Amino acid sequence: MLGKGMTERILSESSVAGRMTGKAEKMAGRGGKDSRKRGSLAALAVLGICGCMLTGCGDALQTEEELVIPAQQTEEATGTPGEQAAAPAGSVAAQVQAPERYQWEGASDKVSVTADAMVVVPDVEGIRTKKVTGRAFTQEDYDRVSQVLLKGNGLWERDVEAMAGYGFTAAELESKAKQLEAEKENGVKGDQPYAGKAETLDEQIAYYRELAKEAPEEVVIKDIPAVVAYDASLPEGAEANWLNGRATVDGRDYLVNLDNSLLTGEIRRAVFSVCDAELNGSWNWLTVDFENMNEYPEIVGIDDELIGRLETMQLQPETVLEEAKQKLAKMGMEEYVPYGGEYCFMRALTETEDLLKQVGYSVHCSRMEEGVPVIYTYETGLMPEGASMWWPQEEVNLVYTEEGLAFFEWVNPWTVEELSAESVFLMPFAEIQNIFQDMIMKKNLDDFSEEGDTIEIQVSGVRLGYRRIQEAEDREMTASLIPVWDFWGSKICRDKMGEIRYVIDSEYESLLTINAMDGTIVG
């Protein structure tokens, strides 16, 4: 059976973007802002979404600057500090004097907040600010990953030119023709255009059979040199900055993609992935929380077969997290550590166009700097206000099935250097919680689209860690890592009839993020 707690959260589609489930509207690009439309729960119950469209409901729209309380004003805010936990002198814990649990309740006519949250503080003597700079993947990056995940095996691909210019065998083309012929048995007329094409079904069948006459009987492959390249002068999407191929490891084929081509222009994103070829499909891995799914049963996107497979899966989160940690160590990537994980599933079309359903466990990893984690959130695709480029944050994700590692993805590696020579000042948690209690109300006052909407917030956890702060006009991929307090939990928005408009429930979705040095709101 599945465990409870931090490893079971629900979101939708990834690769570093706003993640929406079911019929919920997808964001326009990874860096775009999401919107939520009113409707039934089946269409709108969204978990793991970055925020609502702030349309207002009689209240003035508040900017981020208006939502900031300077540190010197926090004495006027309401709230009672919790019992102080003992900490060694000189440590961060002693400086911030945070309680072991943060408990508080507050309400207005629109927003209610209940906090019963574990407070996590890094066990370090001090925290220094850092400068991070994005970089392309290098040959060394590829080699160390290849030696562990691919056992050093070479890359190959079908030789399309040697296979009549199409890359398919005669048997594969004949199989495609037979699949189309089967459509006639389902009532599709052969003399009518099919699948949105101008050609009729009969013409498409004839086309595949004509190609089969020249196609080879066996697959012809060619070796792909495993050479990593990056030329910043090339235009965005230049193939010279790609490395794509397949590798065969212990009888299984893996798709390998190292893409430095998006490291120019308005999108600054480099990706290195290794995927079990059988599990490669047009959908990404989606993660699921059974507790939320049972509470909101009308949520769409997962069928009974996948639910059954997830419920009987033998993977244990603790075992998978430890395996991921060992994999990172073997690849010489000890700067990254497992931050948490989630049960997940996927649907994919196989090479024979059969629908394959698979379940697994996804591990999210982020950088650890001098004992302080970079907080992992789903907001890796958000651009700062006024930014002219999209630069998602650095992360490493691994997906395990019961057969082993099925997917590895490394996004946007950084180089890190010191920004402050000494440890920075951190505000006492008593002041931080006062800021939170005031600003969580104000921030959500604009989170409505109609009169009578209400929001219920439950704070489940509070953590101190690093967050990357990107300058709006910086196109050189440099940013700062600063210490922040991150508050996470759940948010339920209801209309005036009490019906749920949307749900956010994830430890990787920030309710409010506060600069630990000066108390300003950063997210």
Side-chain angles (χ1 to χ4, degrees):
M1 295 297 295
L2 301 179
K4 304 280 186 187
M6 68 174 287
T7 57
E8 298 181 11
R9 302 291 171 192
I10 188 165
L11 67 146
S12 100
E13 187 164 329
S14 145
S15 176
V16 276
R19 309 178 182 208
M20 293 187 169
T21 58
K23 300 178 183 176
E25 184 178 359
K26 290 184 180 294
M27 296 199 307
R30 303 245 352 153
K33 294 183 179 179
D34 60 312
S35 64
R36 297 189 177 92
K37 299 179 180 179
R38 293 180 298 112
S40 67
L41 178 60
L44 292 173
V46 178
L47 297 101
I49 302 177
C50 297
C52 289
M53 176 179 287
L54 303 182
T55 57
C57 185
D59 299 307
L61 181 66
Q62 294 171 298
T63 65
E64 181 174 289
E65 288 74 17
E66 292 172 328
L67 290 175
V68 170
I69 297 182
Q72 62 266 27
Q73 298 179 13
T74 58
E75 292 181 357
E76 301 176 8
T78 60
T80 304
E83 182 180 352
Q84 304 300 312
S91 68
V92 165
Q95 185 177 359
V96 301
Q97 285 293 293
E100 293 183 358
R101 297 197 70 82
Y102 166 55
Q103 296 177 314
W104 176 73
E105 292 186 5
S108 67
D109 59 339
K110 294 183 177 180
V111 181
S112 64
V113 183
T114 301
D116 184 10
M118 178 177 64
V119 180
V120 179
V121 179
D123 184 15
V124 294
E125 291 301 304
I127 298 178
R128 297 183 289 177
T129 55
K130 308 280 184 177
K131 176 183 176 182
V132 297
T133 304
R135 66 174 179 85
F137 288 105
T138 65
Q139 188 68 49
E140 180 183 3
D141 294 330
Y142 176 84
D143 290 343
R144 59 179 174 170
V145 171
S146 174
Q147 287 300 318
V148 176
L149 300 188
L150 306 177
K151 297 186 178 180
N153 292 335
L155 299 179
W156 58 271
E157 193 51 272
R158 291 192 178 201
D159 191 335
V160 174
E161 293 304 318
M163 299 180 68
Y166 297 101
F168 297 102
T169 66
E172 289 170 339
L173 291 166
E174 177 60 27
S175 175
K176 180 62 177 178
K178 289 182 178 179
Q179 289 177 18
L180 293 179
E181 281 185 332
E183 292 297 301
K184 293 183 179 182
E185 298 177 5
N186 296 327
V188 180
K189 294 182 179 180
D191 60 353
Q192 297 295 317
Y194 175 72
K197 299 180 181 180
E199 296 81 12
T200 67
L201 180 58
D202 286 338
E203 288 172 341
Q204 293 179 46
I205 294 171
Y207 173 72
Y208 283 117
R209 292 214 159 110
E210 189 63 29
L211 292 181
K213 294 177 182 179
E214 299 180 4
E217 296 298 324
E218 301 292 338
V219 174
V220 180
I221 65 171
K222 63 179 179 180
D223 293 334
I224 303 295
V227 177
V228 176
Y230 174 60
D231 184 346
S233 67
L234 295 175
E236 180 181 321
E239 291 187 13
N241 287 331
W242 292 352
L243 174 59
N244 294 305
R246 296 182 178 229
T248 303
V249 183
D250 298 331
R252 296 184 71 88
D253 290 345
Y254 292 84
L255 300 178
V256 180
N257 173 46
L258 191 150
D259 190 352
N260 280 331
S261 68
L262 299 183
L263 209 59
T264 58
E266 296 181 358
I267 302 176
R268 301 297 179 96
R269 185 168 184 258
V271 181
F272 180 14
S273 64
V274 178
C275 175
D276 187 329
E278 185 180 2
L279 302 182
N280 181 59
S282 57
W283 293 283
N284 292 314
W285 285 91
L286 311 178
T287 55
V288 62
D289 181 337
F290 283 92
E291 185 174 341
N292 283 318
M293 188 178 63
N294 292 333
E295 187 173 354
Y296 311 109
E298 295 181 57
I299 229 170
V300 297
I302 183 168
D303 55 41
D304 291 340
E305 179 184 349
L306 283 168
I307 292 174
R309 296 190 65 185
L310 280 161
E311 288 178 334
T312 58
M313 187 172 60
Q314 298 301 308
L315 286 178
Q316 297 299 314
E318 296 79 8
T319 302
V320 177
L321 290 167
E322 181 59 31
E323 170 64 21
K325 182 178 179 181
Q326 293 178 10
K327 273 284 193 294
L328 293 170
K330 290 179 181 178
M331 292 186 289
M333 299 172 64
E334 294 93 341
E335 66 270 32
Y336 304 99
V337 298
Y339 194 86
E342 304 172 273
Y343 291 97
C344 60
F345 68 94
M346 76 172 302
R347 302 181 185 91
L349 289 176
T350 67
E351 292 184 354
T352 61
E353 298 196 359
D354 295 327
L355 184 63
L356 174 70
K357 299 180 181 181
Q358 184 59 270
V359 296
Y361 192 81
S362 176
V363 180
H364 307 304
C365 306
S366 66
R367 186 180 290 267
M368 180 78 74
E369 284 294 324
E370 297 181 336
V372 181
V374 176
I375 295 172
Y376 177 90
T377 73
Y378 294 150
E379 299 175 8
T380 53
L382 295 182
M383 292 190 296
E385 191 71 26
S388 57
M389 75 168 187
W390 165 41
W391 178 29
Q393 296 194 51
E394 176 189 60
E395 63 178 300
V396 176
N397 295 296
L398 301 94
V399 175
Y400 283 84
T401 68
E402 291 181 325
E403 295 182 357
L405 182 63
F407 179 70
F408 165 87
E409 182 184 56
W410 184 5
V411 179
N412 281 352
W414 295 340
T415 58
V416 182
E417 55 188 298
E418 300 299 339
L419 196 58
S420 60
E422 303 295 333
S423 298
V424 297
F425 167 78
L426 300 175
M427 294 175 62
F429 184 78
E431 296 185 32
I432 296 295
Q433 73 176 30
N434 288 344
I435 295 171
F436 172 81
Q437 288 161 195
D438 188 67
M439 301 317 298
I440 192 64
M441 295 291 200
K442 292 181 179 179
K443 181 178 180 180
N444 286 278
L445 284 178
D446 294 305
D447 226 4
F448 307 95
S449 62
E450 284 194 359
E451 187 73 31
D453 285 353
T454 60
I455 287 182
E456 305 159 13
I457 296 173
Q458 291 191 338
V459 184
S460 304
V462 185
R463 51 201 167 193
L464 177 63
Y466 279 124
R467 178 163 180 155
R468 189 195 71 176
I469 304 299
Q470 177 187 345
E471 295 296 330
E473 293 304 320
D474 182 12
R475 297 186 62 84
E476 300 301 321
M477 288 192 305
T478 59
S480 301
L481 288 182
I482 67 168
V484 301
W485 287 99
D486 182 65
F487 293 75
W488 60 268
S490 65
K491 181 190 294 188
I492 301 175
C493 182
R494 301 179 187 272
D495 62 22
K496 61 183 178 181
M497 302 301 295
E499 297 294 327
I500 294 177
R501 293 183 58 242
Y502 68 83
V503 177
I504 298 172
D505 188 357
S506 174
E507 66 178 293
Y508 309 125
E509 178 77 25
S510 179
L511 296 171
L512 194 69
T513 304
I514 302 173
N515 187 323
M517 300 181 292
D518 62 15
T520 54
I521 307 302
V522 297

